Amino acid sequence: MLNDADGILSKIPSHVDYADVRIVEQESEDIATKDGVVEALSSSSSKGYNVRILKDGVWGFAASHDMSTMGVDETIAKALAITDASLKHKTTDVKLDNSKPVQGSYKTPFQEDPFQVPTEEKLELLVAADKALRVSDKIVVSQASYQANREKKYFVSTSGSKIEQEIIWTGAGIEASAVDGTEFQNRSYPNSFRGQNQTRGFELVRDLDLVENAPRVGQEAVDLLTADLCPSGEFDLILDGNQLALQIHESCGHAVELDRALGYEASYAGTSFLTPDKLFDFRYGSDIVNLTADATIPGGLGTFGYDDEGVPAQRTYLVKNGIFQDYITSRDTVSKLHEINPKYNKRSNGTVRASSWSRLPMIRMTNINLEPGGEEGTGKAWTLDDLIKDTEYGILMSTNRSWSIDDKRYNFQFGTEIGWEIKNGKKGRMLRNPTYQGITPQFWNSCDAICGRDEWTVWGTPNCGKGQPSQVMYTGHGASPARFRKVKVGVVKW
C-alpha cells in the first residue's frame, strides 16, 4: 500500500508547497446483548484514501475510495480546486512547522487477535455476563457489549515521510438498570458508555472478568433504589479513576486543543478559556497537578506510532506543578502560535488524527492523563484506603452518569452512578444521584491528594466527537482516585 500511496503522491503537481497522501483500511465488529439475548451483531470494513495539498498558503483536501487512474486524477483535481477557491477568501497564510520527515512503522502490541476469536465464544461470554446481572426482579434491563477495531494507515508526503502502522483496539462492558416505582437506577462495569476500551487484543476482554463482576453490579443497581439521596453542600470529594477520566477529558483535554484556543474550531465543545496569553504563567491547578498528553503509553486508546501528519508519538506536559505549559498541536496551528507567543518555540507534538480516510485530519486528544501520586512533583502516592482514612467527612463518587460544561470549558457539572459517604475516615452509606459542580481552575486548585501508580488506569473514551462533518475519535485518559477539597455537591441554589 505504501507503493500505492507513493503512486498517488507522484501525480500531484510539483508546484504545490506541500502535499501528503493517506490510505486507510478499517475493520470493525460489534456485539450487543440485551436481557439475555443477542440484540445486535455487526461487522464492517472500508478502504479509501485522501490527498491534502498546501498551495499558496491555503489547504485543499479531497478523498475517495476509487483508486483507479481516473479516480485518483479526479481526487487530486478536487483538492487543487479547493485550494483555488479558498485562495479568494484567505485571511492568513497557512504555514507548517519544521518537523522532520520520518520513515517508520508501528503496530499495536497484543496477545490475542480479537478478530480471530470465534464469534460463538464472544456470544457465550456476553450472554453469560448479561444473565448474571439479573440478580433481582427489579433489574428491568441487562446489557453487555463488545467491540473491536483494526485500522491500517499508509502515509507519504512530499517532504519525504513514509509511514505504515496498524492500530488495534478492543472494548467491552456490562450494564444493569433497576426500577422500583418511579425510581430508576443504573450501574455499569468497568465504566459507563460501553465499558473499558484499550489498544489491546481480546486479552482485555478476558481480563475484565465480566461474568464474575456481573452479580455485584446488578446488586448495586438494586441497592441504589433505596439508598439515601446524596446530600447538598460543600464537601471534600474523592473521585474514582473512571469518573476522573471524563473530568480530565472535558475540563482539560478539550481546553488544550490549540485549534479551539485559536478560534479555528468550535463544534461540539466550543472554544477554550486557555488562551495563548496564559501559556507558562496561568495557574491551572494545585502544585501536585501534572497533566500530560502521552501517545506512547502501552494500551492507551490514544496510543499510536505516528499521527496523521507523520509526526512521531510524544509525551508532553500540558500542566506541570499546576502551571499551564502547552497545548496539543498540529503542524500549522503551532506555526501560528509561534507568531502569537514568541516564547513558544516548539514543533507539533503529534496529536493530529482523522476518524477515517474520508475525513480531514485535525487536532485530537491522545492520552490526556493526570500523573499519579508518587511521581516527580505529584506528592505522596496515596492508596484509596488511606485517602478515605484521611478524610474526616466527604463523599466518594464513581462512574459517570451525566455531564455538562460550557463552551469555554470553564463551568461544569457532573453526575455519577454511585456515591458513598465518608465519615470519620470510613466509607459508609451508599448514596444515589450524586452530582458535583465547579469552575475548572478552582476545582483543579483544590486537588490535594492523588493515588499512586498501583491504582492508575488508562481509561478509554471511544466516542469523542469533533468537527463538521462529524468525526468520532478514540482517546485515552490515565487517572487514579484523587481528592478535591470543598467542592459543591448536590442540587441546591448556590
Side-chain angles (χ1 to χ4, degrees):
M1 279 298 165
L2 272 178
N3 289 335
D4 291 337
D6 264 335
I8 297 170
L9 188 70
S10 69
K11 285 175 164 284
I12 297 174
S14 59
H15 63 270
V16 304
D17 301 323
Y18 168 86
D20 56 41
V21 173
R22 197 165 44 89
I23 298 177
V24 180
E25 297 176 288
Q26 292 175 315
E27 177 184 10
S28 67
E29 62 178 15
D30 286 83
I31 302 175
T33 69
K34 186 175 183 180
D35 299 336
V37 299
V38 178
E39 183 184 52
L41 192 159
S42 64
S43 63
S44 64
S45 63
S46 72
K47 177 182 175 182
Y49 66 98
N50 62 69
V51 297
R52 195 175 64 145
I53 295 174
L54 181 61
K55 179 173 175 288
D56 298 326
V58 296
W59 283 116
F61 175 87
S64 175
H65 62 84
D66 184 353
M67 299 186 71
S68 68
T69 299
M70 181 179 294
V72 169
D73 289 343
E74 289 178 351
T75 303
I76 293 172
K78 285 180 184 175
L80 288 168
I82 291 173
T83 63
D84 291 341
S86 299
L87 190 60
K88 300 172 184 174
H89 305 282
K90 182 173 71 172
T91 57
T92 184
D93 275 324
V94 174
K95 299 175 183 176
L96 300 182
D97 71 357
N98 61 351
S99 291
K100 296 178 180 177
V102 173
Q103 297 192 4
S105 63
Y106 174 83
K107 184 175 182 178
T108 299
F110 62 87
Q111 299 171 19
E112 192 173 8
D113 188 338
F115 293 93
Q116 297 301 315
V117 176
T119 301
E120 293 79 5
E121 183 179 347
K122 298 167 185 168
L123 292 173
E124 183 179 352
L125 188 155
L126 293 178
V127 169
D130 186 313
K131 290 182 176 177
L133 288 165
R134 304 185 75 85
V135 296
S136 162
D137 58 7
K138 295 186 184 302
I139 299 291
V140 293
V141 179
S142 56
Q143 300 178 80
S145 63
Y146 153 85
Q147 54 274 345
N149 297 267
R150 189 196 312 273
E151 188 175 43
K152 295 180 179 178
K153 300 180 182 182
Y154 307 89
F155 176 88
V156 296
S157 74
T158 53
S159 60
S161 288
K162 188 174 292 189
I163 297 165
E164 58 182 319
Q165 55 184 335
E166 178 178 346
I167 312 293
I168 287 183
W169 60 274
T170 308
I174 54 177
E175 181 178 350
S177 301
V179 169
D180 186 8
T182 58
E183 187 65 32
F184 173 89
Q185 293 294 332
N186 210 61
R187 276 299 281 150
S188 309
Y189 170 83
N191 204 357
S192 49
F193 308 110
R194 306 205 75 186
Q196 170 67 311
N197 294 265
Q198 292 186 325
T199 49
R200 298 175 61 192
F202 198 75
E203 67 272 12
L204 167 68
V205 181
R206 299 192 191 282
D207 289 349
L208 292 176
D209 293 329
L210 297 178
V211 178
E212 292 77 4
N213 279 282
R216 173 185 59 80
V217 174
Q219 188 59 53
E220 285 181 350
V222 173
D223 292 345
L224 278 168
L225 293 171
T226 53
D228 292 334
L229 191 65
C230 181
S232 298
E234 282 193 342
F235 293 89
D236 291 342
L237 174 66
I238 298 175
L239 293 182
D240 205 354
N242 59 6
Q243 169 59 27
L244 193 51
L246 190 64
Q247 178 76 51
I248 295 166
H249 181 98
E250 299 295 345
S251 64
C252 177
H254 280 306
V256 296
E257 293 171 336
L258 182 54
D259 51 355
R260 293 191 191 282
L262 293 175
Y264 295 171
E265 170 65 35
S267 296
Y268 287 111
T271 56
S272 174
F273 75 96
L274 287 174
T275 47
D277 59 295
K278 293 184 172 67
L279 260 177
F280 311 126
D281 297 318
F282 182 73
R283 177 158 287 283
Y284 177 92
S286 64
D287 287 344
I288 64 170
V289 170
N290 289 268
L291 291 152
T292 57
D294 191 346
T296 69
I297 301 172
L301 203 53
T303 298
F304 48 79
Y306 308 88
D307 79 350
D308 286 348
E309 289 191 305
V311 178
Q314 298 172 36
R315 171 182 166 87
T316 303
Y317 271 97
L318 304 169
V319 174
K320 190 166 188 177
N321 301 130
I323 304 299
F324 173 41
Q325 295 291 328
D326 210 341
Y327 293 100
I328 51 177
T329 62
S330 62
R331 294 189 64 192
D332 54 358
T333 57
V334 83
S335 295
K336 178 57 67 175
L337 188 55
H338 293 160
E339 299 174 8
I340 296 172
N341 190 330
K343 290 193 293 184
Y344 191 90
N345 58 3
K346 303 175 185 176
R347 297 171 179 158
S348 167
N349 50 30
T351 66
V352 170
R353 289 186 289 166
S355 63
S356 77
W357 54 265
S358 63
R359 293 292 184 263
L360 184 72
M362 62 173 67
I363 293 172
R364 303 308 302 258
M365 293 178 224
T366 55
N367 302 301
I368 309 299
N369 315 306
L370 176 64
E371 294 298 303
E375 312 285 324
E376 181 182 358
T378 62
K380 174 182 173 180
W382 293 80
T383 65
L384 180 57
D385 287 343
D386 286 343
L387 198 51
I388 291 172
K389 289 177 184 174
D390 189 68
T391 303
E392 184 176 349
Y393 189 60
I395 295 175
L396 166 64
M397 297 187 188
S398 180
T399 317
N400 184 262
R401 185 177 186 179
S402 64
W403 71 95
S404 175
I405 188 166
D406 72 19
D407 59 2
K408 296 286 187 182
R409 325 310 292 175
Y410 204 61
N411 293 282
F412 62 79
Q413 54 183 317
F414 287 90
T416 65
E417 289 184 351
I418 194 167
W420 292 271
E421 183 180 56
I422 299 171
K423 203 170 183 179
N424 299 321
K426 294 182 179 178
K427 181 180 171 183
R429 57 177 177 153
M430 181 182 288
L431 301 171
R432 62 185 164 93
N433 302 341
T435 62
Y436 67 96
Q437 61 181 288
I439 296 173
T440 296
Q442 291 180 8
F443 177 79
W444 285 103
N445 271 284
S446 74
C447 180
D448 76 334
I450 306 171
C451 290
R453 189 165 291 280
D454 288 347
E455 302 188 44
W456 196 80
T457 298
V458 186
W459 295 96
T461 302
N463 55 351
C464 176
K466 185 176 180 180
Q468 289 179 334
S470 175
Q471 297 192 40
V472 177
M473 184 51 65
Y474 46 95
T475 69
H477 303 290
S480 52
R483 183 173 62 193
F484 301 83
R485 295 290 195 182
K486 295 185 178 179
V487 177
K488 293 177 180 176
V489 168
V491 181
V492 295
K493 290 183 179 179
W494 294 100

